[in-house]
Amino acid sequence: MSWSLDLVPLPPCALLGGPPLSGLLWTFLLLFLWYCYRVGSDPPSHSGLHKTSSSFSRSSSRLPVDPGHSAPKTSVAIGMETGEEEEGPESYLTPVLSHAPFPTEVAAESRKLYRALQEYAKRYSWAGMGRIHKGLRNQAKITERPSIQKPHLFYLPDVPSIPFFPRDAHRHDIEVLEASYPIILAEFQAVYQRGIDAKFGWTYQGPKAQAVFPLYNAGGCVAGNCRACPCTYRTLLSLRTFISSNSLGSAGFWLLGPGTTLGGSYGPTNTRLRCQLGLQTPAQCELVVGGEPQCWSEGHCLLVDDSFLHTVSHNGGAEDGPRVIFSVDLWHPNVAAAERQALDYIFAPEQ
């Protein structure tokens, strides 16, 4: 199909002789269409990135180079620093690989955990690992400072923490545990009547008056005890936030005898909350976390951050019997999914 310029009626131009004016307008129209095409087809330019790259190139070109040595190679691994680095209020948001070297003066345990973090990042990604990296670097400062919250193994920074959390933090899991209270109590009574002995799966933690019947211990399933409490075991598996894949998580029956007081202690990490379902709770029992006292109630859960300084006491008599709770470790609600996956890898249960 051919187009004729005569289709556009234009008055003749006296200065240019008439008809050439229509050809000039068509030329401008074609130039405009060509400009629009170029603007729409060009990719967006990242001016900030180009500016950074060019400034880096200019600064690199000004560096003196020793002719006897080759230019230093850039490395993607995080080196060990020799001095203190400056930490801004948002340093945990900065890229981990750029300027966050690991300090040399940290404890051997933190260095071991950091190597596990490096292995995880090589296998998966550094994305979302800023808070974990910062926590490993600053763990020595956390354990040395006088504080009411001082986890001795790993502290994840910038996590909102209070001694007792509301039910809404883990409403689903709390409702599942409370609905299963009758069957959990019945299975506890069955294993309790067999006797508290190591050959029946019981262990002692701290004083002789505190016995534990673990279903999960440090992230590992205790198969014999789970077979003895099949309904309780299935209830554990139905929980959405139960820590079952790393050594920070445990679950089981905790028994405290009358006249026993457990002194102040700190939990290993602030990345978990300990959910305690009351099974048998005499009136003289008390739990104090971060200076706040609470009492258990049979059939109801307490959601506790045990990274705070906490004490437990049973001031009743022998006629009151032991205090019994079913304790389950759940993820802190402010720990992201990527961080949970990384912590499962870093704190993998020992084989």
Side-chain angles (χ1 to χ4, degrees):
M1 181 178 181
S2 61
W3 293 88
S4 175
L5 297 179
D6 296 335
L7 295 177
V8 182
L10 293 172
C13 180
L15 296 178
L16 299 178
L21 179 60
S22 60
L24 183 63
L25 291 178
W26 276 105
T27 302
F28 283 128
L29 178 61
L30 293 175
L31 289 174
F32 176 73
L33 293 175
W34 175 82
Y35 171 77
C36 293
Y37 169 77
R38 289 299 303 270
V39 171
S41 61
D42 288 344
S45 61
H46 304 281
S47 58
L49 178 61
H50 294 163
K51 185 183 297 183
T52 304
S53 302
S54 60
S55 62
F56 176 79
S57 301
R58 289 193 298 268
S59 61
S60 301
S61 62
R62 289 194 296 266
L63 293 175
V65 179
D66 188 352
H69 297 80
S70 61
K73 298 181 180 179
T74 58
S75 174
V76 297
I78 301 179
M80 307 297 286
E81 72 175 347
T82 56
E84 292 291 334
E85 69 170 83
E86 297 182 359
E87 292 187 8
E90 296 182 353
S91 59
Y92 73 96
L93 294 175
T94 57
V96 177
L97 291 177
S98 59
H99 41 74
F102 200 70
T104 56
E105 67 276 6
V106 297
E109 181 65 23
S110 295
R111 194 181 302 277
K112 177 182 176 182
L113 296 176
Y114 177 70
R115 285 195 293 267
L117 175 62
Q118 282 186 312
E119 294 174 1
Y120 172 84
K122 291 178 182 178
R123 180 172 299 185
Y124 299 101
S125 171
W126 280 106
M129 298 299 104
R131 290 200 301 181
I132 295 180
H133 184 267
K134 181 181 179 182
L136 292 176
R137 292 168 56 234
N138 296 337
Q139 184 60 41
K141 301 177 183 178
I142 297 297
T143 55
E144 294 173 358
R145 71 178 184 180
S147 175
I148 199 171
Q149 184 188 26
K150 191 166 57 175
H152 57 79
L153 182 59
F154 175 67
Y155 176 79
L156 186 66
D158 307 295
V159 172
S161 296
I162 53 177
F164 294 95
F165 274 70
R167 296 170 56 90
D168 290 341
H170 285 302
R171 177 171 293 276
H172 172 270
D173 289 352
I174 287 179
E175 290 178 350
V176 169
L177 288 171
E178 292 180 350
S180 305
Y181 163 72
I183 188 63
I184 293 176
L185 176 62
E187 291 188 337
F188 162 74
Q189 292 173 343
V191 298
Y192 180 68
Q193 290 172 0
R194 293 188 305 177
I196 301 178
D197 196 286
K199 65 182 179 180
F200 297 129
W202 289 85
T203 61
Y204 289 97
Q205 293 195 2
K208 196 73 172 178
Q210 180 177 232
V212 181
F213 187 81
L215 302 185
Y216 272 79
N217 185 26
C221 176
V222 184
N225 292 356
C226 290
R227 284 193 293 267
C229 304
C231 294
T232 304
Y233 172 68
R234 286 194 292 269
T235 300
L236 278 178
L237 297 184
S238 68
L239 301 180
R240 295 175 179 174
T241 58
F242 171 46
I243 304 177
S244 60
S245 302
N246 67 58
S247 59
L248 302 176
S250 299
F253 300 104
W254 291 65
L255 185 150
L256 187 67
T260 304
T261 298
L262 304 180
S265 60
Y266 299 93
T269 180
N270 67 327
T271 61
R272 75 181 190 188
L273 298 180
R274 182 151 279 185
C275 184
Q276 299 180 347
L277 173 66
L279 300 181
Q280 182 176 322
T281 57
Q284 295 82 3
C285 297
E286 186 179 55
L287 170 66
V288 180
V289 182
E292 299 182 15
Q294 285 281 2
C295 296
W296 295 275
S297 178
E298 295 178 0
H300 299 281
C301 291
L302 282 180
L303 206 53
V304 182
D305 185 346
D306 69 335
S307 64
F308 285 87
L309 181 67
H310 59 277
T311 59
V312 182
S313 60
H314 182 355
N315 299 318
E319 66 279 3
D320 296 318
R323 180 233 60 183
V324 183
I325 60 173
F326 181 62
S327 179
V328 184
D329 291 333
L330 307 177
W331 283 109
H332 191 291
N334 290 94
V335 179
E339 293 172 325
R340 296 179 186 185
Q341 181 179 347
L343 292 174
D344 282 344
Y345 187 92
I346 296 171
F347 293 99
E350 296 182 0
Q351 301 297 331

